[in-house]
Amino acid sequence: MTGGQLSPPVLDVHGLSVDYLGEHGTVHAVTDVSFTLRRGEVLGLAGESGSGKSTLAYAAARLLPESAVISAGEVFFYPGAQQGQSGGASAPINLLSLSTKELRRYRWSDVAVVFQSAMNALNPVMTLGAQIDDVLLTRRPRMRGRERTARAHELLRLVGISSERIKSYPHELSGGMRQRAGIALALALSPQIIIMDEPTTALDVVVQREILGELLRLREQLEFAVIFITHDLSLLLELADRVAIMYAGRLVEQATQRELYQAPRHPYSYGLINSFPKLRGPRHTAVGIPGSPPDLRSLPSGCAFHPRCPLAFDVCQSVIPQLRTVSPGSEQLVACHLYDPAYRPAPPDTSEIAAGYQALVEGSRR
C-alpha cells in the first residue's frame, strides 16, 4: 500500500468455517471469518495458542489435514493483481471449488508457505541448491539447467545467504540460515502470497530481527503479500500493516498496527498488548488475562471471551457479537457488545478497559 491508497485485493476470504472431526467431538477451530488481503500488504494474525490462526491460513491455502472439514465459506484469489489496478482487473477464482489438479497450478506459483520448523520443512538429504532446482524443474520445466542454477544463487543472495552455501545440507546450517532457506524456497516461483506460520519462534531475538528486516526488504522489492501468523503481538506491531486478532476461532478485532497499538478496542486485544513489558515510558503494572481459552468442542454461549472479560455484562452471555466499525469512517473493526449502541449508548475508552483489568489484578491479590 503506497501513497495512502489501498492496493487491489489479492485474496478475499468470506465466512470461512473449519471443523476438526474426532472421536471426542467436533472442534470448531474457525467460525465465520472474513478478511481481505491486499497486494504488498503484511497482514498479521495473532492470538493465543489454539485460537485458530494457523487453521485459518492453511484453510485459505487448502493445506489442512484430512481430519479438517471446511464447513462454510469462500476463498477468492485474484491472479495477476498489480499495483494501480482495480480488484476486478482479474477474474477472482474460488480456491475452495478447485480440484486437486487445478489447485496445483496455484500452490507455490501464487501461494507459498514458510513453515514454523525449517528443519522439518527442508529435505535433510538434499542440498539447498538441489531443493531449489527440484522446485524449478518441476514447476518450470522449460528452464535450462544453467538458468535454474543462476536462479538458485539469486534466491540465496536475496535472503542473505552466501551463494557458497548452495551445496550445503540443512544440518550444516544454523537455525537462522535454515529459516532464510525456507523463505528462499517460498520465493522460488515469485508467488503473490506468502503464508508465514510463526517462522521465527525458535530463533533468538537478534536473528529474528535480521530475518524480519530481510522479509520487509523483500516485500518492498518484490511486492508480494504476507499472512504472518504469530502469538507475539508485539512483533506484529512492528512488522504488519494490519493486524487481525483471533479468539476461540473468531476474529474479534481488525485494525492497522498503529490503531491497535494506540487504542485497542476489544478487551482481549487490550489484555494481549498490555501483557508484555514496555521498554519506554513510565512504569506500569503488567496486566494478564485471567483464566484460559475455552474448549473449542464446547464453547461458552454468547461471546466466547465473556468468562474472562473484565467488562462483560448480561448480553455478553447470550448473544454472539459481530464485527462492526468502532466509529463512522473508521476501518477499525471490533466484535464486542461494548461498541453496539443497541446495548450501550457510549463505547468505552482504553482507560475504562484498563480500570477493569486493574480491578481483576487487585481482586486476585486479595
Side-chain angles (χ1 to χ4, degrees):
M1 294 184 289
T2 59
Q5 297 182 344
L6 291 177
S7 303
V10 69
L11 191 74
D12 258 328
V13 175
H14 296 289
L16 191 64
S17 296
V18 181
D19 297 330
Y20 287 99
L21 309 180
E23 297 179 0
H24 302 290
T26 299
V27 174
H28 306 289
V30 174
T31 304
D32 193 23
V33 170
S34 300
F35 68 88
T36 297
L37 177 69
R38 298 186 177 278
R39 179 77 176 179
E41 177 183 42
V42 177
L43 174 65
L45 288 180
E48 293 170 281
S49 297
S51 61
K53 52 191 185 295
S54 292
T55 296
L56 171 61
Y58 288 167
R62 284 183 58 183
L63 288 171
L64 293 170
E66 293 183 0
S67 59
V69 175
I70 298 176
S71 55
E74 297 172 312
V75 178
F76 290 104
F77 170 69
Y78 293 81
Q82 297 293 330
Q83 286 277 20
Q85 294 181 350
S86 67
S90 301
I93 297 166
N94 187 357
L95 297 181
L96 302 187
S97 67
L98 299 180
S99 67
T100 302
K101 183 178 180 180
E102 292 171 327
L103 190 63
R104 282 178 55 85
R105 292 176 50 199
Y106 298 98
R107 282 182 178 159
W108 219 323
S109 297
D110 291 295
V111 182
V113 181
V114 178
F115 295 98
Q116 181 174 355
S117 177
M119 193 65 196
N120 294 335
L122 298 173
N123 190 324
V125 297
M126 294 177 67
T127 65
L128 294 187
Q131 294 188 55
I132 296 173
D133 186 80
D134 187 50
V135 173
L136 297 173
L137 182 62
T138 303
R139 306 305 296 271
R140 300 287 188 268
R142 294 185 179 180
M143 286 186 74
R144 297 179 178 179
R146 292 193 303 274
E147 295 173 322
R148 296 197 303 271
T149 300
R151 177 60 173 162
H153 282 283
E154 178 189 13
L155 287 167
L156 293 182
R157 286 196 299 270
L158 272 176
V159 298
I161 298 178
S162 169
S163 59
E164 297 175 358
R165 289 290 192 170
I166 199 167
K167 294 183 179 181
S168 296
Y169 291 89
H171 72 271
E172 296 176 312
L173 307 176
S174 66
M177 278 192 178
R178 290 197 294 266
Q179 204 62 61
R180 290 171 185 264
I183 295 173
L185 278 169
L187 290 170
L189 302 179
S190 302
Q192 296 187 57
I193 301 170
I194 296 182
I195 297 172
M196 307 191 80
D197 186 9
E198 305 209 35
T200 60
T201 298
L203 305 176
D204 64 67
V205 292
V206 175
V207 175
Q208 190 178 98
R209 172 73 62 177
E210 290 176 354
I211 290 178
L212 294 180
E214 203 71 45
L215 173 65
L216 291 175
R217 184 186 65 79
L218 291 171
R219 189 274 300 258
E220 291 294 325
Q221 179 180 341
L222 304 176
E223 293 191 319
F224 53 81
V226 179
I227 298 177
F228 197 99
I229 305 164
T230 182
H231 63 275
D232 186 351
L233 187 54
S234 62
L235 188 66
L236 291 183
L237 292 176
E238 294 187 42
L239 173 71
D241 298 303
R242 283 188 302 131
V243 180
I245 307 294
M246 293 194 70
Y247 185 78
R250 291 181 180 269
L251 284 185
V252 296
E253 186 163 359
Q254 186 172 297
T256 66
Q257 53 88 12
R258 181 182 293 274
E259 289 171 332
L260 195 66
Y261 178 73
Q262 293 181 343
R265 302 293 184 169
H266 198 284
Y268 178 63
S269 303
Y270 181 90
L272 284 181
I273 290 176
N274 287 277
S275 62
F276 59 87
K278 293 179 172 59
L279 297 178
R280 300 182 180 88
R283 294 179 61 182
H284 73 289
T285 302
V287 176
I289 302 173
S292 301
D295 185 343
L296 295 180
R297 295 170 298 181
S298 180
L299 291 169
S301 59
C303 175
F305 187 61
H306 86 257
R308 307 172 70 188
C309 182
L311 299 180
F313 54 107
D314 291 345
V315 72
C316 302
Q317 301 178 33
S318 56
V319 179
I320 297 174
Q322 302 300 313
L323 278 173
R324 62 175 61 245
T325 55
V326 297
S327 61
S330 171
E331 293 187 12
Q332 189 169 7
L333 304 174
V334 62
C336 181
H337 293 311
L338 294 170
Y339 302 89
D340 189 340
Y343 300 117
R344 180 178 166 129
D349 57 23
T350 53
S351 63
E352 184 176 346
I353 302 174
Y357 270 111
Q358 188 62 37
L360 285 178
V361 171
E362 292 174 356
S364 66
R365 290 174 177 170
R366 293 171 186 166

